[in-house]
Amino acid sequence: MTDGSRSGRRGTGWRRLLGLQDTPPETPDTGGDPAEEAECVHIRDCTEGPEGRRVVTVRGTLRSVGERTVGGLPALEAELDDGSATLSIVWMGRRSIAGIEPGRDMIASGRLVASRGRSVLFNPRYELKPLGTE
């Protein structure tokens, strides 16, 4: 089964649409709680390593949430702030997600991508923290 791209690799169309280079297929997601899989790192320490895009888990507060288009398709973009720096989070094909709103604490886990000079997590796994917990 493919995503309709000629290479037959899942997600290749999105990477091409965003101007990102193709990378080898990723290992399948095994499920589970992002907070249990890896320790959260400070956003300021989130950079692509010499081996390429790495998987990171970060925790912070959503400072802004808005809709934009990427290649004519809807995308929900949020800015996550942990006090050390900010990180863009983008959910492709979404205009809104219940609970994703400014002021909400969350943990996000995904493959770090450098796009337009900024670090971005595309379609991360995430956990919203209950309101009033810090």
Side-chain angles (χ1 to χ4, degrees):
M1 178 154 101
T2 67
D3 67 351
S5 67
R6 292 178 188 231
S7 71
R9 290 188 290 168
R10 294 185 62 210
T12 301
W14 286 113
R15 286 191 298 274
R16 188 172 33 253
L17 182 66
L18 296 168
L20 303 171
Q21 294 179 349
D22 285 341
T23 57
E26 299 174 11
T27 56
D29 186 3
T30 58
D33 181 1
E36 292 176 3
E37 289 183 17
E39 291 243 352
C40 293
V41 297
H42 289 288
I43 293 172
R44 71 171 174 250
D45 298 329
C46 293
T47 58
E48 282 191 30
E51 67 283 349
R53 300 172 186 162
R54 65 181 195 155
V55 175
V56 297
T57 300
V58 293
R59 180 180 181 151
T61 302
L62 293 171
R63 295 294 176 214
S64 65
V65 178
E67 183 182 340
R68 72 177 205 177
T69 58
V70 177
L73 300 172
L76 182 66
E77 181 173 26
E79 182 178 80
L80 187 69
D81 183 352
D82 72 351
S84 72
T86 61
L87 176 71
S88 292
I89 299 177
V90 178
W91 288 274
M92 302 299 296
R94 305 295 299 263
R95 290 198 165 104
S96 66
I97 298 174
I100 302 293
E101 57 196 31
R104 192 71 186 261
D105 285 344
M106 72 180 291
I107 296 173
S109 180
R111 191 160 303 277
L112 190 67
V113 175
S115 177
R116 296 184 178 143
R118 292 205 53 174
S119 294
V120 181
L121 291 179
F122 286 99
N123 298 322
R125 295 177 42 214
Y126 65 96
E127 175 187 341
L128 293 172
K129 304 310 284 180
L131 293 172
T133 62
E134 319 224 331

